[in-house]
Amino acid sequence: MKKLINEVESVVPDALRGVAAAHPGLRVDVDNQIVFRASGPRPGKVGLVSGGGSGHEPLHAGFVGYGMLDAACAGEIFTSPVPDQMIEATAAVDGGAGVLHIVKNYTGDVLNFQMAAELSGEEGVRVESVLVDDDVAVRDSLYTAGRRGTGATLFVEKIAGAMAETGAPLTEVARVAREVNARSRSFGVALSPCTTPAAGMPTFDLADTEIELGIGIHGEPGRTRSAMRPARELVHLAMDAIHEDLPISGDTLVMVNGMGGTPLIELYIAYAAVVDHLAEKGARAARNLVGGYVTSLDMQGFSITVCQLNEELTRLWDAPVETPALRWGR
Amino acid sequence: MKKLINEVESVVPDALRGVAAAHPGLRVDVDNQIVFRASGPRPGKVGLVSGGGSGHEPLHAGFVGYGMLDAACAGEIFTSPVPDQMIEATAAVDGGAGVLHIVKNYTGDVLNFQMAAELSGEEGVRVESVLVDDDVAVRDSLYTAGRRGTGATLFVEKIAGAMAETGAPLTEVARVAREVNARSRSFGVALSPCTTPAAGMPTFDLADTEIELGIGIHGEPGRTRSAMRPARELVHLAMDAIHEDLPISGDTLVMVNGMGGTPLIELYIAYAAVVDHLAEKGARAARNLVGGYVTSLDMQGFSITVCQLNEELTRLWDAPVETPALRWGR
């Protein structure tokens, strides 16, 4: 294993020190592994808290800032943060209008956020939770009951974050967050496994000509193995799986996401195939993201996330955002 | 080789179709492999043209837009574009104030841009050229006479682009471009080789515990091989090599750049070490970029580029920019 790290034990705090140094708009509590907006809570604005295992960067810390999250809790690699982090983050970002927890559907994350929501409630903070479960590949996988949460997390954070900036009440912010999740589906393909620093070896084996269809963001198994195929065929497999679960039509928001080790030139090749596929379905990518946004360490591969837009979601997607990893219009 | 491509022969046009579909602010001539601003040339503004081999995305097409390039010419993977592309781009972006060519110092690129500049001149377009040669690792390498051009290319494009937007004359835009190059130095480290689609196998071999210090962006040899070391030691080696060539002090602009296959979490770990190193030298990173900006396909590794800032360069760096890969302040 060759990784650009100091010690296996210090990967997350070392990276958080880098995040703190790189982004003056953030305040980073390295000891407790929480990343906040430096500006603090805005009175009357609903606070947004998310978090999860590290190894998916820029998710979540890269989405803290104006128009998205107020705080992100970082767990160890591929491990949920603990309730204490979430409780501290929740208290810190409450501007009196309550706090929304955005939770990816993995058992550890769900249990810990649930406990944090209850205890925060007892301390007088109104908390609503939204569960993200957009991955159509498998049900009840290694770490999950039900569907896994992957790329749509970013869509939920962006759109709910924009709604919160308008001063909307907690119920409204939670409603739109749930609507984004309900309208979003994802499917991922791995060309290679990833290697966690602690394990020091690949999370699974793939032969030289073999790929894993429906991969999770921790290298957990997908639907099936397959021989390697041209990009357009892989994209069609992924889009068909998405379409089968939620028929696509009209205007969509599409992300072609790199899993961490895939070059950008290849993601653009995949995106061209996505656009062709949408045209066949009578749909179009009205908005898009192409790049590494929800990664799995050094895994090679990609995922596609599609969200069926409406006028409200489009307007909120277009609203100004200023975070390390997404920035426009301000 | 597992790559997210359709056919080896169509990698560049397939990716350019994706770029065209993803970014409505760009106009892409897929046949001639040129990416323009959709808005066309602005009368009286100096036009900026760059280009080079593909495989370094987002360089160069990802930096076309307001405040940076007017056009980028894409060659085949790791191969210079041809003079015809450059001549067409130059004519198309000339708004009457002349055109600046930004050329990375590789023999093919230099010869082709030279020919394009001469022929464009004969057609009545005033052209100035700036050569980028920031890589301190080696002199007279595989593809280069003198030093190679790497990460500073982005700094030159951003700062010269900002100067051009002010309506400054060609001589001024060229002057500031040369100043950025003169004040910038880079050093790269490879943890793994890259694989070009056409070759189908790694460009070189590295043992499981071995790294290449001073790597070029095409996998060309660096200074030396070494055993794998902790990130902070690799960063110190790179920073010492830079400092030896151009002593660092005061305010700097620093990029910690991923080579394509390196996860963002590792780049932040490296950035934290850079900041520590700068503090030891009595310097600081007044501005920074952390991410994959000048890549080498799927290579794992990183490069550091440092530019010694002054008031003018800081102001131009901070000026608004709106391109696929850099976007702020507008």
Side-chain angles (χ1 to χ4, degrees):
Chain A
M1 177 187 69
K2 286 183 280 189
K3 288 192 178 289
L4 188 59
I5 63 174
N6 295 310
E7 293 87 29
V8 167
E9 299 69 32
S10 66
V11 164
V12 176
D14 285 354
L16 287 174
R17 289 203 309 117
V19 169
H23 305 293
L26 303 180
R27 179 172 69 81
V28 181
D29 179 344
V30 175
D31 291 337
N32 293 307
Q33 301 189 177
I34 311 175
V35 176
F36 300 94
R37 296 192 199 184
S39 55
R42 205 178 78 210
K45 188 187 92 67
V46 169
L48 267 69
V49 172
S50 191
S54 293
H56 307 300
E57 291 67 28
L59 192 78
H60 293 271
F63 303 124
V64 175
Y66 181 86
M68 283 185 88
L69 299 177
D70 292 273
C73 307
E76 293 305 306
I77 298 286
F78 293 175
T79 305
S80 174
V82 296
D84 278 356
Q85 291 171 278
M86 300 160 180
I87 293 166
E88 188 181 326
T90 302
V93 308
D94 184 27
V99 175
L100 182 71
H101 287 176
I102 298 171
V103 187
K104 299 199 298 303
N105 191 30
Y106 300 97
T107 308
D109 295 76
V110 170
L111 290 175
N112 289 340
F113 266 109
Q114 215 159 39
M115 184 178 299
E118 282 169 23
L119 292 172
S120 296
E122 288 172 17
E123 287 172 21
V125 183
R126 273 195 306 147
V127 176
E128 287 257 8
S129 299
V130 55
L131 198 68
V132 183
D133 62 348
D134 54 311
D135 185 351
V136 301
V138 293
R139 290 205 158 265
D140 304 332
S141 77
L142 208 51
Y143 307 110
T144 329
R147 286 199 311 227
R148 300 176 297 217
T150 58
T153 315
L154 183 166
F155 293 175
V156 171
E157 291 175 358
K158 168 68 184 81
I159 289 174
M163 178 64 98
E165 297 294 349
T166 68
L170 181 56
T171 49
E172 264 298 280
V173 178
R175 175 196 60 80
V176 82
R178 292 188 188 112
E179 181 157 359
V180 173
N181 182 59
R183 287 167 166 268
S184 298
R185 297 292 187 279
S186 294
F187 192 91
V189 176
L191 275 56
S192 82
C194 57
T195 298
T196 65
M201 48 194 298
T203 45
F204 56 95
D205 287 318
L206 271 181
D208 266 2
T209 57
E210 207 179 31
I211 59 175
E212 177 94 20
L213 298 172
I215 193 77
I217 60 174
H218 312 92
E220 61 270 46
R223 284 186 179 181
T224 177
R225 299 235 164 147
S226 153
M228 183 61 195
R229 307 167 189 220
R232 71 169 71 83
E233 289 182 28
L234 295 179
V235 164
H236 280 238
L237 282 169
M239 293 296 284
D240 282 343
I242 288 170
H243 188 74
E244 206 168 288
D245 201 89
L246 185 76
I248 302 163
S249 64
D251 278 5
T252 65
L253 161 62
V254 174
M255 174 165 67
V256 171
N257 172 60
M259 301 300 273
T262 296
L264 187 56
I265 190 169
E266 298 182 26
L267 300 180
Y268 277 115
I269 291 172
Y271 184 68
V274 169
V275 169
D276 289 346
H277 187 97
L278 285 169
E280 287 170 22
K281 301 281 184 201
R284 71 173 191 123
R287 300 291 184 277
N288 74 83
L289 288 177
V290 180
Y293 291 100
V294 181
T295 62
S296 300
L297 295 171
D298 56 340
M299 183 185 285
Q300 293 190 324
F302 71 105
S303 62
I304 301 174
T305 303
V306 178
C307 175
Q308 186 74 60
L309 288 171
N310 62 18
E311 202 182 313
E312 177 184 47
L313 300 192
T314 306
R315 182 171 38 79
L316 292 167
W317 179 259
D318 287 345
V321 60
E322 190 166 348
T323 69
L326 278 194
R327 192 166 177 168
W328 60 68
R330 201 184 179 211
Chain B
M1 176 185 71
K2 285 182 282 190
K3 286 190 178 292
L4 189 58
I5 64 174
N6 296 310
E7 294 85 28
V8 168
E9 299 71 30
S10 67
V11 165
V12 176
D14 285 353
L16 287 175
R17 287 202 310 119
V19 169
H23 305 295
L26 302 180
R27 179 173 68 81
V28 180
D29 179 344
V30 174
D31 291 337
N32 292 306
Q33 300 188 181
I34 311 174
V35 177
F36 301 94
R37 295 192 201 183
S39 55
R42 205 178 78 209
K45 189 187 92 68
V46 169
L48 268 69
V49 172
S50 192
S54 293
H56 307 301
E57 291 66 27
L59 192 77
H60 295 272
F63 302 125
V64 175
Y66 181 86
M68 284 186 89
L69 298 177
D70 292 273
C73 306
E76 293 305 306
I77 299 285
F78 293 176
T79 304
S80 174
V82 296
D84 277 354
Q85 291 171 279
M86 300 161 181
I87 293 166
E88 187 181 328
T90 302
V93 308
D94 184 27
V99 175
L100 183 71
H101 287 176
I102 298 172
V103 186
K104 299 199 298 300
N105 191 29
Y106 299 97
T107 308
D109 295 77
V110 170
L111 291 175
N112 289 342
F113 266 109
Q114 215 159 38
M115 185 177 298
E118 282 169 22
L119 292 171
S120 296
E122 289 172 15
E123 288 173 20
V125 183
R126 275 195 307 145
V127 176
E128 286 258 8
S129 299
V130 55
L131 198 68
V132 183
D133 64 346
D134 53 310
D135 184 353
V136 302
V138 293
R139 289 203 158 266
D140 303 333
S141 77
L142 208 50
Y143 306 108
T144 329
R147 286 199 310 229
R148 300 177 296 217
T150 59
T153 314
L154 182 167
F155 294 176
V156 171
E157 290 175 359
K158 168 68 184 83
I159 290 174
M163 179 63 100
E165 297 294 347
T166 69
L170 181 58
T171 49
E172 264 296 281
V173 178
R175 175 196 60 79
V176 83
R178 292 188 187 109
E179 181 157 0
V180 173
N181 181 59
R183 287 166 165 269
S184 297
R185 297 292 187 278
S186 295
F187 192 91
V189 176
L191 275 56
S192 83
C194 56
T195 298
T196 65
M201 47 193 299
T203 47
F204 56 94
D205 288 316
L206 270 180
D208 266 1
T209 59
E210 206 179 31
I211 58 174
E212 176 95 20
L213 297 172
I215 193 76
I217 59 174
H218 312 91
E220 61 270 48
R223 283 187 177 180
T224 178
R225 299 238 164 143
S226 154
M228 185 60 197
R229 306 166 189 221
R232 70 169 72 83
E233 289 183 31
L234 295 179
V235 164
H236 280 238
L237 282 169
M239 293 295 285
D240 282 345
I242 289 170
H243 189 75
E244 206 169 286
D245 200 272
L246 184 77
I248 302 163
S249 64
D251 279 3
T252 64
L253 161 62
V254 174
M255 175 167 65
V256 171
N257 172 60
M259 302 301 272
T262 297
L264 187 56
I265 190 170
E266 298 182 27
L267 300 180
Y268 277 115
I269 291 173
Y271 184 68
V274 168
V275 168
D276 290 345
H277 187 97
L278 286 169
E280 286 171 23
K281 301 283 185 199
R284 71 174 190 120
R287 300 289 185 275
N288 74 82
L289 289 177
V290 180
Y293 292 101
V294 181
T295 62
S296 299
L297 294 171
D298 56 339
M299 184 184 283
Q300 293 191 323
F302 71 105
S303 62
I304 302 174
T305 303
V306 179
C307 175
Q308 186 75 60
L309 288 170
N310 62 18
E311 203 181 311
E312 177 184 46
L313 300 193
T314 305
R315 182 170 38 79
L316 292 167
W317 179 259
D318 288 344
V321 61
E322 190 167 348
T323 70
L326 278 193
R327 192 163 178 172
W328 60 68
R330 201 187 181 212

